[in-house]
Amino acid sequence: MARSSAPAPGAPSRDRIVAGAADLISRRGLKAASIREVAKHAKAPLGSTYHYFPEGKQQLATEAVRYAGAAVSGVLRRQLDAGPVAGLRAFLALWRGIVVESDFRAGCPVLAVSVEEPPADETPPALAAAAEAFQDWERLLAETLRTHGADAERAPGLAALIVASVEGAIAMSRARRSMEPLDQVAEQLEALIVGAVGGPA
């Protein structure tokens, strides 16, 4: 996911639909992202949307969450080579770009799916995909924290704190139409990371 998960005009039809679904979910939530609305948002034929996703909305939502999760993981993998602070800054910059460029209309599609109420006694595939995305981000952060000197037992908890704090700050920034919450969280998280690894990282 680059600055925005909006579909690229020249993208292949299936990819364009998945990207469009991720963008629409990030703006309106899962309930408002019907197959028809996704096709319209992605500028894709409705028939093609049903063709690629014959199982319907849950299949499309699951693919959209996996797409968004993998895109963020890719950014983290590239930047975490330079250390956990660099990874944190890239993580924050990604979401800052999406929130600001959408005029506070878009956030994280993974979080948007996570807060939807699931059917009783059932874990929808999209919700399971969201859990996997969060776990992957946490794992990547925990690995680099340990590599750079953080206590092995503390690293997973700190990684979970980073993901949870950033996701919460994205929601707060959208609600307040200000990047101040994300800026405040960024400052505190960076200090925590530096303390955890025993110096600049």
Side-chain angles (χ1 to χ4, degrees):
M1 198 162 51
R3 281 301 193 194
S4 169
S5 52
S13 186
R14 191 182 193 282
D15 294 345
R16 187 168 67 244
I17 293 165
V18 171
D23 188 59
L24 189 64
I25 291 168
S26 77
R27 294 167 185 269
R28 300 187 195 171
L30 180 57
K31 286 184 180 176
S34 67
I35 291 283
R36 184 174 297 277
E37 286 300 314
V38 167
K40 181 179 176 182
H41 188 69
K43 297 180 174 57
L46 183 60
S48 294
T49 306
Y50 280 112
H51 170 74
Y52 287 124
F53 305 98
E55 296 172 32
K57 180 176 173 177
Q58 269 297 323
Q59 182 187 12
L60 178 52
T62 302
E63 289 293 322
V65 169
R66 287 176 179 156
Y67 163 82
V72 173
S73 293
V75 170
L76 282 172
R77 283 191 188 91
R78 288 191 296 274
Q79 299 302 322
L80 285 170
D81 285 343
V85 170
L88 172 67
R89 289 175 179 169
F91 194 45
L92 292 162
L94 171 70
W95 295 120
R96 175 186 295 279
I98 289 169
V99 172
V100 170
E101 290 174 20
S102 68
D103 193 25
F104 299 91
R105 290 183 173 88
C108 175
V110 179
L111 178 63
V113 167
S114 301
V115 299
E116 296 278 352
E117 183 178 4
D121 302 320
E122 184 182 340
T123 301
L127 186 59
E132 289 170 7
F134 287 139
Q135 288 167 352
D136 193 41
W137 302 346
E138 290 173 42
R139 180 184 57 77
L140 290 167
L141 287 161
E143 285 175 358
T144 197
L145 285 164
R146 283 191 293 264
T147 299
H148 285 81
D151 179 80
E153 291 186 4
R154 185 184 174 197
L158 182 52
L161 178 63
I162 291 168
V163 173
S165 298
V166 172
E167 291 293 310
I170 293 166
M172 291 171 66
S173 292
R174 289 183 70 194
R176 289 171 53 178
R177 297 186 63 79
S178 165
M179 296 311 298
E180 185 178 6
L182 196 66
D183 291 338
Q184 291 173 328
V185 164
E187 183 178 352
Q188 296 303 314
L189 290 177
E190 195 161 319
L192 281 173
I193 289 173
V194 170
V197 300

